[in-house]
Amino acid sequence: MDEGLLSQATRLGSVHLRVTDIPAALTVWRGTLGLALVGEDAAQAELGAGARALIVLHAGAEVALPQKSRDLFHVAIHVTTRRDLAHTAARLKASGLRYSAQDHLVSESLYVSDLSGNGIEICFDTPERFLRREVLPDGRVSLIAVDGSAHSGLEPLDVSGLLRDLGNSGHVEPRMARDAFIGHIHLRARSPETLMEFYLGVLGFRPHIQSRTFGLFDCGTQRRAHMIAFNVWARDELREPPPNAAGLDHFTVELGSAEELAAVERRLEAANVPAKKDGGVISTADPEGNSLRLLVQGG
């Protein structure tokens, strides 16, 4: 592993979200998306797929997260087969919820929000379709497919074609696939360049897209390039979320070893970034106040 860089074993753990009403939120997260309820009390609900917790909903928000607020854009749950994505599409279609679908070339994605305004992406990675990325002279990013065609990465997804992957049986799985995982988290930002200094220079992620013209900055690891992303698409309309709004409480980064965690702790201290260590968990925040916790996998 390169000095100062996180290893490819790094992954995202559970994402904690504030909601205005847990039972209402569960109609989307559990009822439509199919996550399993692992535990629930008056203050929070923990949801997962298989043995892993993916999303933790926290009560107490007083207002939904307004659109174009600096905060959560979406949390992305990745599925490992296109058929799993098709089952999610069928559940969304049957739910009556408003949703959208995009073909990013490197992935196919479905988008919906819970009733507190927290954005959700269900994503299926398709790296085999992608050849290379080109940055055009004007700063725009073009994705080149293996057949040589150029894509914006924002084309609409053919949902009807996706649903044909389910065949003619009419059966729709009611639950999220057990091997689904948190693949990335995407936030709205004011100064993504400043954020990248923290995520790259202090935490040790690797850069991926860094384009103010495209409006997207992201980073990840050698294995998964797109793990933490920031956009400036709201431009001058971006606003701070109101007090006690729904949105991101914190997200979790799971490292591959105690040595890596110790190295991150040293880099945080050297950069004078406030951080608190409680047992094997480091709690800190990025320059725009997004909270995160770092721990060793299995810890």
Side-chain angles (χ1 to χ4, degrees):
M1 182 181 71
D2 294 339
E3 184 67 27
L5 291 176
L6 297 176
S7 74
Q8 62 181 2
T10 304
R11 67 189 186 190
L12 296 180
S14 57
V15 175
H16 294 241
L17 303 173
R18 299 183 300 273
V19 297
T20 58
D21 185 307
I22 286 178
L26 288 176
T27 64
V28 177
W29 290 99
R30 181 176 61 173
T32 299
L33 298 181
L35 291 177
L37 186 62
V38 177
E40 182 184 17
D41 57 30
Q44 68 179 45
E46 185 174 341
L47 299 128
R52 296 198 67 201
L54 302 182
I55 300 292
V56 182
L57 304 175
H58 294 262
E62 297 177 2
V63 295
L65 182 66
Q67 292 185 357
K68 299 183 180 179
S69 292
R70 186 208 55 75
D71 198 276
L72 183 72
F73 188 62
H74 62 244
V75 54
I77 300 174
H78 289 225
V79 294
T80 62
T81 73
R82 196 170 195 263
R83 189 176 178 86
D84 291 335
L85 187 69
H87 282 297
T88 301
R91 293 195 300 270
L92 282 169
K93 186 175 181 181
S95 73
L97 292 170
R98 183 178 179 181
Y99 72 96
S100 60
Q102 286 190 320
D103 185 345
H104 300 302
L105 187 64
V106 295
S107 64
E108 297 178 324
S109 297
L110 303 167
Y111 296 93
V112 68
S113 294
D114 70 14
L115 301 182
S116 294
N118 293 309
I120 308 160
E121 176 183 357
I122 308 299
C123 178
F124 171 57
D125 294 318
T126 57
E128 71 282 354
R129 299 191 297 158
F130 174 69
L131 180 63
R132 66 181 185 277
R133 174 167 53 93
E134 292 183 352
V135 179
L136 304 177
D138 61 2
R140 290 183 297 115
V141 175
S142 181
L143 304 180
I144 308 301
V146 292
D147 64 2
S149 59
H151 298 260
S152 69
L154 301 173
E155 284 85 7
L157 177 64
D158 178 7
V159 176
S160 295
L162 174 64
L163 291 172
R164 285 196 290 272
D165 275 23
L166 298 180
N168 299 318
S169 70
H171 173 71
V172 177
E173 290 288 344
R175 291 286 169 256
M176 182 74 71
R178 292 179 59 83
D179 56 359
F181 62 97
I182 300 294
H184 68 273
I185 187 165
H186 190 154
L187 303 163
R188 295 186 183 91
R190 291 198 177 278
S191 177
E193 294 91 348
T194 302
L195 289 165
M196 287 297 97
E197 291 177 6
F198 172 78
Y199 284 94
L200 304 180
V202 179
L203 294 190
F205 285 98
R206 295 173 182 262
H208 187 224
I209 297 173
Q210 312 285 292
S211 173
R212 184 163 278 274
T213 300
F214 186 55
L216 181 70
F217 292 68
D218 68 346
C219 59
T221 64
Q222 186 175 22
R223 180 179 181 184
R224 179 166 290 277
H226 180 72
M227 292 180 69
I228 301 173
F230 300 94
N231 76 64
V232 291
W233 296 328
R235 307 292 179 181
D236 294 338
E237 297 180 74
L238 186 71
R239 51 186 162 175
E240 286 297 306
N244 301 316
L248 179 68
D249 185 82
H250 69 272
F251 66 97
T252 309
V253 180
E254 298 182 352
L255 306 182
S257 69
E259 290 75 19
E260 273 195 275
L261 185 66
V264 170
E265 185 178 17
R266 290 192 296 271
R267 293 197 294 271
L268 287 165
E269 183 177 2
N272 295 315
V273 176
K276 178 181 178 182
K277 189 171 184 181
D278 184 5
V281 180
I282 296 175
S283 299
T284 188
D286 68 27
E288 294 197 0
N290 301 300
S291 297
L292 62 147
R293 295 178 184 174
L294 302 106
L295 67 157
V296 179
Q297 293 172 23

